[in-house]
């Protein structure tokens, strides 16, 4: 083979061609073939120069290259896998659960009044009977939220942090339109996948403001509004009894009545009534201002007394020993 190597130095050796052909016929082993490649290059000649250009696309060879290409965006490479699992094994992809809420808000002469129920649902079940749906954003800005509880918590906490940083940076009170703009931009960027439906109210240098913000990022500026699964019943009350010259106490009574209508006519709403009044001096939340559905009867049987369950085994592990201030792990 050294003589063959010396003969073929500087050129291509064909001595393995017959061996490869024999293996392909007898053992079914296929020789490696060239991979398909694709590219685009071009060039133009000008009067005193030449301009060349080429694309930079590279076909991914393994999953790491696919991952690198999709960094910062959504990867669809598992869509075929999920579809195959759904067809062959009957595994269903998780879907969004139906949520129920009634929230509302009204704009008065010098203030804004918000209200919400306190029932948090998990599909057909009641997950929390006294959930707080009125969220603090700034001293002069609050909002009531409907939709996914986790999305509402994180989104409103993010806005609260941004508004506090803005207040410290500018030394001025944040405006309601600033919060609306940032919330609208954030929700529109995620195309409705953040389940936040908000009734936002506040009082700034321009007076009281009430906004309605949808999960896809659209906004409305209204004198009164409702959102959630019980919004139709609440809207019937507000359209009938709302007046611009109402006092704060009259406004509290009106929004509480609207929330009660949602609680009594919508299965997804329930619990108690929370109310928030926002003025130029700040906002105040009246937690559980009304309890329209109190529990009147308790279970007749008594709970099991302590010690009714026998202890089968008790074992105490000694993990460390403390001697004169020094800790010795056991």
């Amino acid at each position: 083979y050294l003589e063959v190597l010396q003969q073929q130095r500087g050129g291509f050796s064909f001595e393995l061609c017959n061996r490869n052909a024999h293996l392909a016929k007898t053992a079914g082993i296929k020789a490696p073939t060239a991979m398909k490649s694709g590219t685009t290059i071009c060039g133009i000649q000008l009067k005193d120069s030449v301009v060349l250009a080429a694309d930079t696309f590279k076909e991914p060879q393994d999953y790491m290259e696919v991952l690198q290409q999709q960094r910062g965006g959504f990867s669809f490479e598992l869509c075929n896998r999920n579809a195959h699992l759904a067809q062959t094994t009957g595994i269903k992809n998780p879907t969004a659960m139906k949520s129920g809420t009634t929230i509302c808000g009204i704009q008065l002469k010098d203030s804004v009044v918000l209200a919400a129920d306190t029932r948090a649902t998990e599909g057909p079940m009641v997950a929390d009977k006294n959930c707080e749906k009125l969220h603090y954003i700034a001293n002069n800005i609050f909002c009531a939220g409907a939709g996914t509880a986790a999305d509402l918590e994180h989104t409103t906490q993010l806005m609260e942090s941004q508004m506090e940083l803005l207040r410290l940076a500018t030394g001025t009170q944040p405006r309601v339109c600033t919060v609306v703009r940032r919330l609208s931009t954030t929700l529109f960027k995620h195309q409705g996948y953040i389940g936040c439906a908000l009734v936002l109210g506040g009082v700034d240098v321009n007076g009281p403001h009430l906004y309605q913000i949808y999960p896809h990022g659209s906004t409305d500026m209204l004198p009164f509004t409702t959102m959630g699964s019980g919004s139709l019943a609440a809207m019937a009350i507000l359209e009938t009894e709302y007046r611009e010259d109402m006092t704060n106490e009259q406004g509290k009574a009106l929004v509480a009545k609207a929330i009660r209508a949602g609680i009594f006519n919508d299965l997804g709403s329930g619990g108690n009534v929370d109310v928030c009044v926002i003025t130029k001096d700040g906002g105040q939340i009246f937690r559980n201002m009304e309890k329209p559905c109190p529990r009147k009867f308790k279970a007749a049987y008594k709970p099991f007394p302590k010690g009714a369950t026998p202890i089968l085994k008790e074992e105490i592990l000694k993990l460390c020993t403390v001697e004169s201030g020094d800790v010795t792990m056991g």
Side-chain angles (χ1 to χ4, degrees), residues 249-272:
E249 292 301 322
Q250 292 173 337
K252 288 167 58 178
L254 176 60
V255 295
K257 184 177 180 180
I259 297 300
R260 287 200 309 271
I263 290 175
F264 293 141
N265 295 281
D266 174 47
L267 294 177
S269 305
N272 308 317

Side-chain angles (χ1 to χ4, degrees), residues 135-139 141 143 152-170 172 174 178-179 182-183 186 200:
H135 304 277
Y136 171 92
I137 295 181
N139 289 331
I141 304 172
C143 72
L152 289 166
E153 288 284 343
H154 286 268
T155 304
T156 53
Q157 288 175 5
L158 177 63
M159 279 304 119
E160 177 188 354
S161 174
Q162 291 184 6
M163 289 303 103
E164 180 64 15
L165 292 174
L166 180 64
R167 185 188 68 83
L168 294 173
T170 60
T172 59
T178 304
V179 182
R182 294 200 181 190
L183 281 171
T186 302
L200 186 139

Side-chain angles (χ1 to χ4, degrees), residues 13-185:
S13 174
F14 292 91
E15 65 171 340
L16 294 181
C17 291
N18 294 331
R19 165 185 169 275
N20 295 341
H22 176 71
L23 289 175
K25 291 181 180 179
T26 57
I29 300 175
K30 294 183 179 180
T33 58
M35 290 187 177
K36 180 181 180 297
S37 61
T39 188
T40 302
I41 59 175
C42 65
I44 58 174
Q45 178 181 345
L46 304 179
K47 183 178 180 181
D48 300 320
S49 61
V50 175
V51 180
L52 303 178
D55 69 328
T56 58
F57 177 76
K58 176 187 176 184
E59 291 189 9
Q61 302 299 321
D62 54 18
Y63 75 97
M64 286 301 297
E65 293 187 1
V66 173
L67 182 63
Q68 292 294 329
Q69 287 184 357
Q70 300 291 342
R71 286 187 66 184
F74 186 81
S75 175
F76 292 90
E77 64 172 340
L78 293 181
C79 291
N80 294 331
R81 163 188 170 274
N82 295 341
H84 176 71
L85 288 175
Q87 292 177 357
T88 57
T89 62
I91 298 175
K92 294 183 179 180
N93 293 327
T95 57
M97 289 186 176
K98 182 183 182 300
S99 61
T101 291
T102 302
I103 58 175
C104 67
I106 61 174
Q107 177 182 333
L108 304 180
K109 183 179 180 181
D110 299 317
S111 62
V112 173
V113 184
L114 307 176
D117 71 313
T118 62
R119 172 176 289 182
T121 57
E122 187 177 345
M125 297 178 292
V126 177
D128 191 351
K129 298 178 182 179
N130 199 23
C131 172
E132 188 170 4
K133 301 180 183 180
L134 298 178
H135 304 277
Y136 171 92
I137 295 181
N139 289 331
N140 61 318
I141 304 172
F142 287 76
C143 72
T148 307
D151 292 347
L152 289 166
E153 288 284 343
H154 286 268
T155 304
T156 53
Q157 288 175 5
L158 177 63
M159 279 304 119
E160 177 188 354
S161 174
Q162 291 184 6
M163 289 303 103
E164 180 64 15
L165 292 174
L166 180 64
R167 185 188 68 83
L168 294 173
T170 60
T172 59
Q173 190 182 59
R175 297 190 180 188
V176 180
C177 61
T178 304
V179 182
V180 173
R181 180 63 176 174
R182 294 200 181 190
L183 281 171
S184 175
T185 303

